[in-house]
Amino acid sequence: MHKTTLITGGAGYIGSHTALTLIDAGQHVLVLDNLSNSCHESIERLEHLAHARVDFIEGDIRDTALLLRLFSHYDIDAVVHFAGLKSVANSVSHPLDYYANNVVGTLNLCAVMARFNVFKLVFSSSATVYGEPAHTPILEDSGTGFPASPYGRSKLMVEQLLTDLALSEPRWSIALLRYFNPIGAHESGLLGEDPNGRPNNLLPCLTQVAIGRIPELTVFGNDYPTVDGTCVRDYIHVVDLAEGHLKALQVLHSDGGLHIWNLGTGIGYSVLQMIRSFEDVTGVSIPFQIAPRRAGDIAQCWADASKARRELGWCARRNLAQMIEDSWRWQSSNPFGYGHAVQLSAALAR
Ligand code: NAD
Ligand code: WQD
């Protein structure tokens, strides 16, 4: 039987890109996803790009009986764990869903892993665990802060849970990957981000304005102490992020313990710079209006990713123009994402 990497949440945005990267690197993967924020179409497209069938199970990480069956049936030797809920705004109105999926779900997964002597885990954490940073760029040992939302706090809780686990048992080998702001899409235009309803994140808002699904962009605040008054973030291409997971897995196979790595580019762009770059790259103009600050936003943050470069031999290789070009290709070839009428054959025909 093949050694298998279990990818939870592998039908989602970052998970599907990572699944492809791992398959391209010769790994056998098993995707588990409850499709609460994704759909089967992403798996079909993944199979098309991978030129192979992908083992996919529709199910929930909180379903212990299902996990026990999967770990019995497959020779799982590592888990890349994306499954969880990720909307900051929704987490404020539905905190229990966030703690149940993100914290209880992870706890359940780890308990089953331990039962089957599987101790290698890559976890999707977030720069949100730093809270309002005292300094930029942010280093891994800057210390975590007080994340502004239940979503962010669920990520910090899982980091703490996993840290305790690694301390309790030397066989655990865990990577906490702190992503900055993932954007972009696979260069084929077949995989990308497909938010439910009106998006919250900047890039999907920009592309949906450009495609005409949203009339204009709202810029939240222009009175921050930044280069032009708008917030600054470290945007990273989702395929660079996926490659970071491959490198992290490789290190976990040789090195035990708990590792924390920032995955970012080290470069910050303001919201206005993003709008201008988007217009330059795509030639589409973006109408926008300035609105008051959005609750919970920090002024600026970008990564110091030198630890990942040193220890993983990884760095982000795709620049902002490529991130925007790929996001736009994805959005313009799939104006309504995966769902709706646009299916693989139609997307391929574009
Ligand atoms: P996504 O919503 O596209 O992917 C998450 C996937 O997990 C979805 O396919 C969803 O259906 C699935 N899922 C949710 N709850 C589940 C459960 N209980 N059991 C099984 N499957 C479940 O999100 P994404 O952007 O790909 O994010 C992946 C991970 O990275 C998440 O944990 C997220 O919190 C984290 N993260 C994302 C960002 C970002 O900006 N996208 C930044 C930092 C961290
Ligand atoms: C970026 C900037 C907005 C939309 C969030 C989560 C974080 C991680 C990544 C998941 C901010 C501004 C946005 C719009 C705007 N997520 N903006 N108009 O807030 O840095 O991070 O996503 O794990 O945990 O907090 O990303 O893309 O929402 O916002 O002006 O319509 O764009 O105010 O300054 P953020 P974002």
Side-chain angles (χ1 to χ4, degrees):
M1 208 179 359
H2 301 288
K3 292 275 179 216
T4 296
T5 302
L6 170 64
I7 306 183
T8 73
Y13 173 46
I14 307 170
S16 58
H17 288 83
T18 302
L20 184 59
T21 298
L22 299 193
I23 295 167
D24 284 348
Q27 294 201 16
H28 180 250
V29 308
L30 166 66
V31 171
L32 170 66
D33 197 303
N34 67 4
L35 302 184
S36 59
N37 197 37
S38 50
C39 60
H40 197 264
E41 177 77 8
S42 71
I43 300 295
E44 282 162 37
R45 294 185 182 197
L46 179 56
E47 290 182 324
H48 172 81
L49 291 168
H51 307 292
R53 215 183 66 74
V54 172
D55 284 340
F56 170 71
I57 306 290
E58 182 175 344
D60 199 294
I61 52 169
R62 292 166 294 172
D63 182 345
T64 309
L66 171 65
L67 291 186
L68 291 172
R69 284 201 301 281
L70 290 184
F71 278 78
S72 305
H73 185 76
Y74 291 89
D75 186 12
I76 295 169
D77 69 342
V79 179
V80 185
H81 176 34
F82 296 100
L85 301 180
K86 67 162 181 179
S87 159
V88 169
N90 194 33
S91 77
V92 175
S93 48
H94 297 86
L96 291 183
D97 289 346
Y98 280 70
Y99 294 119
N101 276 277
N102 298 4
V103 182
V104 177
T106 304
L107 201 153
N108 198 44
L109 175 67
C110 290
V112 174
M113 287 175 68
R115 222 165 125 174
F116 283 82
N117 291 320
V118 178
F119 292 106
K120 293 180 186 64
L121 176 70
V122 177
F123 173 63
S124 298
S125 190
S126 166
T128 192
V129 301
Y130 291 114
E132 179 95 50
H135 310 282
T136 43
I138 306 176
L139 275 161
E140 290 83 351
D141 61 8
S142 314
T144 53
F146 187 75
S149 68
Y151 164 73
R153 291 192 280 278
S154 76
K155 288 286 164 190
L156 187 54
M157 283 179 195
V158 172
E159 283 207 0
Q160 288 162 342
L161 182 165
L162 295 177
T163 304
D164 287 339
L165 209 52
L167 286 172
S168 72
E169 157 64 76
R171 283 181 294 170
W172 279 103
S173 193
I174 298 176
L176 308 179
L177 300 185
R178 293 179 178 160
Y179 313 155
F180 280 67
N181 288 59
I183 62 169
H186 189 261
E187 61 181 2
S188 63
L190 291 176
L191 296 179
E193 184 171 13
D194 182 16
N196 271 335
R198 191 171 170 134
N200 295 309
N201 294 118
L202 180 62
L203 239 290
C205 287
L206 267 171
T207 57
Q208 291 199 13
V209 170
I211 201 90
R213 283 176 64 181
I214 301 177
E216 66 177 4
L217 184 79
T218 304
V219 173
F220 297 123
N222 65 349
D223 58 349
Y224 287 96
T226 60
V227 57
D228 56 21
T230 63
C231 294
V232 172
R233 297 289 183 272
D234 182 339
Y235 297 92
I236 175 169
H237 197 294
V238 66
V239 177
D240 279 325
L241 203 59
E243 290 169 1
H245 291 71
L246 175 64
K247 297 281 190 182
L249 265 179
Q250 287 164 348
V251 169
L252 294 191
H253 280 289
S254 55
D255 244 354
L258 181 94
H259 305 267
I260 305 178
W261 290 297
N262 283 340
L263 297 184
T265 64
I267 304 170
Y269 291 100
S270 75
V271 177
L272 293 179
Q273 288 169 339
M274 292 297 286
I275 295 174
R276 268 181 235 114
S277 301
F278 190 91
E279 292 179 331
D280 288 348
V281 170
T282 65
V284 181
S285 69
I286 299 293
F288 68 88
Q289 57 152 335
I290 306 290
R293 293 180 177 197
R294 185 173 72 175
D297 275 343
I298 56 171
Q300 54 188 7
C301 87
W302 61 89
D304 181 323
S306 54
K307 186 165 183 267
R309 181 191 285 269
R310 232 175 20 250
E311 296 179 0
L312 298 177
W314 171 92
C315 67
R317 295 182 294 137
R318 294 160 180 85
N319 64 19
L320 184 62
Q322 194 166 352
M323 297 183 218
I324 291 174
E325 205 177 301
D326 290 340
S327 294
W328 181 230
R329 186 180 304 106
W330 156 254
Q331 181 74 79
S332 42
S333 340
N334 306 272
F336 293 96
Y338 290 118
H340 311 275
V342 181
Q343 297 297 308
L344 177 59
S345 51
L348 283 172
R350 282 166 198 270

